[in-house]
Amino acid sequence: MRRALGFSSIALIALAVPATSFASHLPEKKLSLAYPAYDLSDLYVFDGEPGKTVFILNTNPTTKNDGKAAFGDNGLYNIHIATDRAMSGGMTLTFRYSNDSMFVGRIDQPNAALGAEGSQMGIAQIAKETRFANGIRMWVGGTKDLFVGNAVGIQKFRTALREGRYDEHAYDNAEDFFGKLNSSTIVVEMPNAMLPKTIHVFATSAMVLNGRWIQVNRLAHPLLTHLFMLGDEPLIIGHDQHRPDSDEQRRLWVGSTVTRAVALNKSQPDPVAYGVRIADRLLPELMPYEVGTKARYGVDAFNGRRTNDDAMDVAMSIFAGKSVTDGANTFDHHPQQFPYVVRNEPAATK
């Protein structure tokens, strides 16, 4: 959620809230704050050119608008692609940044061990289209943040919910915050022939700290930790430093938080049953997608996620048990051709 939640200070916005509090998954976690290069902000999975599936991983919301990427050079970024929710088969794509290029590896296991790089598929150059012999096409570099959302509004909403209120007017400012931000982005376009018919995807980041590998972040669904876990730091740390096979530990909290919201706004006849149903839908945290179909991240169903899906409205509506909009709808920087991102540009010099 955008969860999209831990960044170094970029700016102050309304309510004097630092920008480090926001991102599509909005990490408030200490590791993400200390090492923003490994702070994952969004994961997208969708149909690209005919016969291709696209994976986009955004990281580091402190990336500058200087035409450069800001990946960490002491760790790994992973896209995990499982055949089912039990992660019984699949693969992990691994990415290691060094000397203005990105090592790309593959492990034939969807829940690959921490720090494992796998066999090399190729090297992607920063800010250049790269094609591999197996049909994979990549682009890696600094981009304009793809997420669109009302960061001030969600902070107001969370504060009210903690106080036992459902704030119908939290999003009245109707402002998109993320258009000001940049990301360091990995774009992978993969032939469908390399994928099973149904995939379940999540992403992780890890780095070497004090001589050992540690997982910094994990994500699939936007706003999961920031909204559905209400920013509870111990719970989020448990989430971010573990894998989906441990998510049973967090189902009760997620279900209870949703129950609280729908009970306060009286949107569902049975708030407890609704909370349980949503927790079952979101956990284990994996992004499902039927390969070769039109992707859509919706209130009624998840089937991948396109860059211009209004994921914050979807998350808020699922959470509230009724249709909700944050009023932020500036989907004007989401190209529909490879590499599906807007490259950041050097700031003008005076």
Side-chain angles (χ1 to χ4, degrees):
M1 210 168 9
R2 157 133 245 287
R3 239 186 51 355
L5 322 155
F7 322 116
S8 63
S9 295
I10 307 172
L12 294 177
I13 60 176
L15 302 183
V17 179
T20 57
S21 300
F22 305 109
S24 103
H25 89 309
L26 296 163
E28 304 93 336
K29 297 87 79 181
K30 291 181 179 178
L31 276 175
S32 293
L33 285 167
Y35 304 101
Y38 298 99
D39 181 15
L40 306 181
S41 53
D42 277 293
L43 175 67
Y44 302 89
V45 182
F46 58 94
D47 48 301
E49 295 184 358
K52 304 290 181 64
T53 295
V54 178
F55 302 87
I56 297 181
L57 180 60
N58 278 356
T59 186
N60 195 356
T62 69
T63 301
K64 297 178 181 179
N65 191 36
D66 58 3
K68 299 178 181 179
F71 296 104
D73 58 3
N74 189 35
L76 287 171
Y77 303 91
N78 298 327
I79 297 176
H80 306 260
I81 305 170
T83 57
D84 51 43
R85 295 186 95 195
M87 297 188 293
S88 60
M91 71 182 82
T92 300
L93 305 181
T94 69
F95 308 92
R96 174 173 47 79
Y97 175 76
S98 178
N99 297 322
D100 214 30
S101 63
M102 187 75 78
F103 166 95
V104 184
R106 170 175 171 154
I107 300 170
D108 289 327
Q109 208 272 68
N111 200 16
L114 197 65
E117 293 188 4
S119 58
Q120 180 175 320
M121 289 197 298
I123 301 292
Q125 300 302 313
I126 300 300
K128 296 179 181 179
E129 180 179 322
T130 306
R131 293 177 182 264
F132 297 160
N134 60 6
I136 286 178
R137 177 164 59 158
M138 287 192 61
W139 188 90
V140 181
T143 69
K144 185 171 183 178
D145 197 315
L146 289 166
F147 192 73
V148 175
N150 186 339
V152 171
I154 199 170
Q155 287 298 90
K156 285 184 177 180
F157 179 84
R158 293 196 324 163
T159 298
L161 198 65
R162 282 200 176 103
E163 295 172 352
R165 297 180 293 110
Y166 185 91
D167 188 353
E168 295 277 0
H169 301 288
Y171 301 99
D172 285 356
N173 65 309
E175 294 179 1
D176 173 36
F177 173 72
F178 299 95
K180 308 171 186 176
L181 301 184
N182 297 288
S183 296
S184 295
T185 300
I186 298 170
V187 180
V188 182
E189 183 183 72
M190 179 178 290
N192 291 347
M194 296 180 66
L195 297 166
K197 181 174 176 54
T198 302
I199 57 177
H200 299 261
V201 187
F202 71 102
T204 60
S205 62
M207 63 179 293
V208 177
L209 187 62
N210 297 325
R212 67 184 183 91
W213 281 97
I214 184 167
Q215 186 167 294
V216 178
N217 211 308
R218 160 167 71 103
L219 70 87
H221 293 291
L223 294 173
L224 179 65
T225 56
H226 192 64
L227 180 60
F228 292 86
M229 296 181 188
L230 268 188
D232 181 271
E233 186 173 351
L235 194 73
I236 293 171
I237 290 173
H239 169 277
D240 287 348
Q241 295 185 7
H242 293 84
R243 300 288 177 84
D245 52 7
S246 74
D247 280 344
E248 179 66 24
Q249 303 173 31
R250 287 165 280 280
R251 285 183 67 256
L252 179 60
W253 181 277
V254 170
S256 297
T257 305
V258 173
T259 296
R260 180 182 182 87
V262 299
L264 287 171
N265 75 56
K266 300 179 175 58
S267 63
Q268 296 289 322
D270 189 338
V272 174
Y274 181 78
V276 170
R277 186 162 72 251
I278 296 306
D280 287 344
R281 183 179 173 190
L282 292 172
L283 300 175
E285 191 194 3
L286 297 157
M287 178 81 70
Y289 175 60
E290 293 294 321
V291 173
T293 67
K294 185 73 171 179
R296 176 177 172 269
Y297 194 82
V299 174
D300 55 336
F302 301 140
N303 186 41
R305 179 185 171 194
R306 303 189 70 81
T307 59
N308 58 355
D309 284 337
D310 197 337
M312 186 158 175
D313 278 13
V314 170
M316 286 299 311
S317 296
I318 292 172
F319 185 75
K322 64 180 184 181
S323 181
V324 175
T325 181
D326 65 354
N329 297 298
T330 53
F331 289 93
D332 59 357
H333 51 282
H334 301 81
Q336 298 303 298
Q337 298 81 36
F338 187 89
Y340 307 99
V341 293
V342 175
R343 309 178 191 197
N344 63 16
E345 301 294 343
T349 57
K350 296 182 179 180

